[in-house]
C-alpha cells in the first residue's frame, strides 16, 4: 500500500471520528449531506468547497427540521489583547452535520467538530453535549488576530456565517499630547484616559521621570471610572523649573502614555516655534552692532576715497542693507 493510500485511509478514519463525536455514524449520513471537507484519491489532502458555493445564513431564516444558524449568533465580537476571546456560533437542528471554523485571512481550517486542524494551539473548539452553541476559543489574542472567521455547517451547499473579530489593546491617552509648555508659578494639569479596557484598572500611577508622583507634596491626583472610561487628573499647584521632565500615566491593564513638560522660568523668550515634536525656544543672536558701525564708517569714507557721486550713495547704502539682512536672516532660522 502506497504512502498516499495510507494518508487517505487515515483521513477517512479522522472524518469518521468527527462524525462519531457528534453522535452520528457513516451509515447514518445520506448522500445529500456529504461532508464539506472532501478527499481526492489522487491527492489525499484536506480541501474546502470554494467560498462562493456557500450559502450565507440569513437572519430570521429558521427551519423545523433542517440545520440553520440561529439569528442570535453575533456578527461582530470584540476582544482584548491577552484576554481569551470566544466567538460563538449557535446552530439549531444540527443532526448528523458537523460545525467547522475557518479563518478567512488565509482560508485556513481551524477546527472541525471538536477536533483542531491547526498547529496554533491557541485555538480550541468548545461544545457541550446538548448545547446548540459551538464556540471558537482563542487564547492570548493579539491585534493581528482581528479579522473574519467563518462558522460552517457541512450541508450542500455549505451553510455559513461570517463573524468579525476585533481585538483591541487597552491603552492610556494623555489629552495634552506629547509635549506641554507652562510658565513657572502657574498650575500644571495633566489628564489621562484609559480606553479600550474591559474593566477599570486595579491601580493607576503617575510618574515624574522614575519617581511615583501620586504622593508628592503639592501634587493632587483624582481618578474615577464613569461609563466604562477611567479618567485620572494630576494637578501641581505651582510648577517650578525642577518640575520639568517626562510624566507617565501607567495603569495596571493598559499600555502607558508619556508627555514631556517644560516649565519656563520668569525670563520671557524672544520667540517660540512649533515643529512636529512640539514647541521649543529660539535663542536669537544679538543684533550685530559692531558690523553695523563698521559698515556705516565705510559709507561715510566712501565719497572721500573713491569718486562716488551723491546719486550713487543710496545704491551703496542699499547694498549694505542687503548684506546685513543676509547675515541676520540665517540667525532666525532653526
Amino acid at each position: 500500500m502506497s504512502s498516499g493510500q495510507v494518508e487517505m485511509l487515515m483521513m477517512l478514519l479522522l472524518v469518521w471520528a468527527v462524525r462519531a463525536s457528534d453522535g452520528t455514524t457513516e451509515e447514518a449520513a445520506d448522500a445529500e449531506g456529504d461532508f464539506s471537507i472532501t478527499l481526492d484519491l489522487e491527492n489525499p489532502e484536506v480541501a474546502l468547497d470554494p467560498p462562493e458555493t456557500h450559502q450565507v445564513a440569513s437572519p430570521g431564516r429558521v427551519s423545523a427540521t433542517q440545520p440553520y444558524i440561529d439569528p442570535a449568533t453575533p456578527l461582530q465580537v470584540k476582544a482584548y489583547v491577552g484576554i481569551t476571546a470566544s466567538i460563538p456560533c449557535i446552530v439549531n437542528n444540527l443532526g448528523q452535520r458537523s460545525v467547522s471554523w475557518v479563518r478567512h485571512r488565509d482560508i485556513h481550517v481551524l477546527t472541525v467538530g471538536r477536533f483542531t486542524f491547526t498547529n496554533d494551539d491557541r485555538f480550541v473548539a468548545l461544545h457541550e453535549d446538548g448545547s446548540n452553541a459551538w464556540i471558537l476559543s482563542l487564547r492570548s489574542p493579539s491585534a493581528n488576530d482581528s479579522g473574519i472567521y467563518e462558522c460552517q455547517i457541512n450541508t450542500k451547499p455549505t451553510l455559513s456565517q461570517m463573524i468579525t473579530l476585533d481585538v483591541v489593546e487597552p491603552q492610556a491617552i494623555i489629552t495634552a499630547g506629547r509635549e506641554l509648555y507652562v510658565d513657572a508659578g502657574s498650575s500644571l494639569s495633566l489628564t489621562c484616559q484609559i480606553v479600550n479596557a474591559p474593566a477599570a484598572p486595579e491601580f493607576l500611577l503617575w510618574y515624574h521621570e522614575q519617581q511615583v508622583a501620586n504622593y508628592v507634596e503639592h501634587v493632587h491626583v483624582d481618578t474615577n471610572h464613569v461609563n466604562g472610561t477611567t479618567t485620572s487628573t494630576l494637578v501641581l499647584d505651582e510648577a517650578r523649573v525642577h518640575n520639568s521632565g517626562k510624566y507617565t500615566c501607567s495603569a495596571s491593564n493598559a499600555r502607558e502614555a508619556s508627555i514631556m513638560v517644560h516649565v519656563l522660568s520668569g525670563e520671557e523668550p524672544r520667540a517660540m516655534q512649533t515643529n512636529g515634536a512640539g514647541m521649543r525656544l529660539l535663542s536669537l543672536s544679538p543684533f550685530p552692532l559692531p558690523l553695523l558701525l563698521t559698515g556705516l564708517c565705510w559709507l561715510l569714507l566712501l565719497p572721500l576715497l573713491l569718486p562716488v557721486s551723491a546719486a550713487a550713495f543710496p545704491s551703496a547704502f542699499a547694498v549694505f542693507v542687503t548684506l546685513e539682512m543676509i547675515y541676520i536672516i540665517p540667525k532666525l532660522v532653526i
Side-chain angles (χ1 to χ4, degrees):
M1 181 180 292
S2 66
S3 60
Q5 291 174 330
V6 172
E7 292 178 0
M8 182 186 69
L9 289 176
M10 292 179 63
M11 187 60 66
L12 287 172
L13 288 174
L14 180 58
V15 171
W16 178 85
V18 170
R19 292 183 173 179
S21 69
D22 295 333
T24 64
T25 62
E26 184 71 23
E27 296 178 353
D30 54 24
E32 184 184 2
D34 288 342
F35 204 66
S36 62
I37 295 180
T38 59
L39 293 174
D40 187 346
L41 295 179
E42 299 296 331
N43 183 25
E45 297 180 351
V46 175
L48 284 175
D49 292 341
E52 57 268 17
T53 65
H54 297 179
Q55 179 181 350
V56 179
S58 300
R61 179 179 295 178
V62 299
S63 172
T65 58
Q66 297 299 315
Y68 70 94
I69 297 177
D70 197 288
T73 298
L75 300 181
Q76 292 186 331
V77 173
K78 186 176 183 180
Y80 301 92
V81 170
I83 301 177
T84 299
S86 297
I87 311 175
C89 184
I90 303 173
V91 180
N92 297 323
N93 302 330
L94 183 60
Q96 302 169 359
R97 316 295 179 180
S98 296
V99 175
S100 306
W101 282 100
V102 178
R103 183 172 56 202
H104 245 241
R105 181 178 71 229
D106 50 5
I107 314 299
H108 186 76
V109 179
L110 300 174
T111 65
V112 178
R114 290 188 176 94
F115 291 88
T116 301
F117 275 80
T118 177
N119 293 328
D120 190 342
D121 61 2
R122 299 179 303 147
F123 289 96
V124 178
L126 303 178
H127 175 71
E128 295 182 0
D129 293 337
S131 170
N132 63 346
W134 293 82
I135 299 173
L136 179 64
S137 177
L138 173 56
R139 178 171 47 84
S140 299
S142 68
N144 292 333
D145 293 310
S146 298
I148 298 176
Y149 293 79
E150 181 178 358
C151 169
Q152 292 185 2
I153 305 175
N154 64 324
T155 55
K156 288 294 183 179
T158 301
L159 187 64
S160 66
Q161 178 67 67
M162 312 291 183
I163 301 173
T164 300
L165 175 66
D166 184 21
V167 182
V168 298
E169 181 180 10
Q171 59 181 341
I173 297 177
I174 296 179
T175 57
R178 295 184 178 181
E179 223 167 352
L180 179 66
Y181 287 80
V182 297
D183 293 326
S186 63
S187 174
L188 169 63
S189 179
L190 301 175
T191 299
C192 175
Q193 292 183 334
I194 308 301
V195 298
N196 293 331
E202 295 181 4
F203 61 86
L204 189 153
L205 296 175
W206 283 92
Y207 289 87
H208 177 213
E209 300 298 345
Q210 302 300 321
Q211 180 183 2
V212 176
N214 294 56
Y215 314 109
V216 175
E217 188 178 5
H218 304 303
V219 173
H220 311 283
V221 175
D222 180 36
T223 303
N224 55 73
H225 186 78
V226 179
N227 297 329
T229 300
T230 299
T231 303
S232 180
T233 302
L234 177 147
V235 177
L236 176 61
D237 294 334
E238 294 185 9
R240 301 300 178 191
V241 174
H242 68 268
N243 297 128
S244 299
K246 182 172 75 170
Y247 286 77
T248 302
C249 173
S250 177
S252 60
N253 62 344
R255 187 175 60 188
E256 64 184 24
S258 298
I259 183 174
M260 285 297 300
V261 174
H262 304 272
V263 181
L264 308 179
S265 63
E267 301 174 0
E268 294 185 4
R270 297 283 184 93
M272 303 187 74
Q273 179 175 327
T274 301
N275 57 19
M279 291 178 18
R280 60 194 180 108
L281 296 179
L282 298 178
S283 178
L284 300 182
S285 299
F287 193 79
L289 184 59
L291 180 61
L292 177 60
L293 294 177
T294 302
L296 290 175
C297 290
W298 277 107
L299 284 176
L300 294 175
L301 295 174
L302 190 60
L304 301 176
L305 299 177
L306 298 174
V308 179
S309 64
F313 187 84
S315 298
F317 184 79
V319 172
F320 167 74
V321 172
T322 302
L323 293 174
E324 192 73 357
M325 294 303 296
I326 292 175
Y327 176 84
I328 295 174
I329 290 176
K331 303 296 183 181
L332 301 176
V333 179
I334 295 179

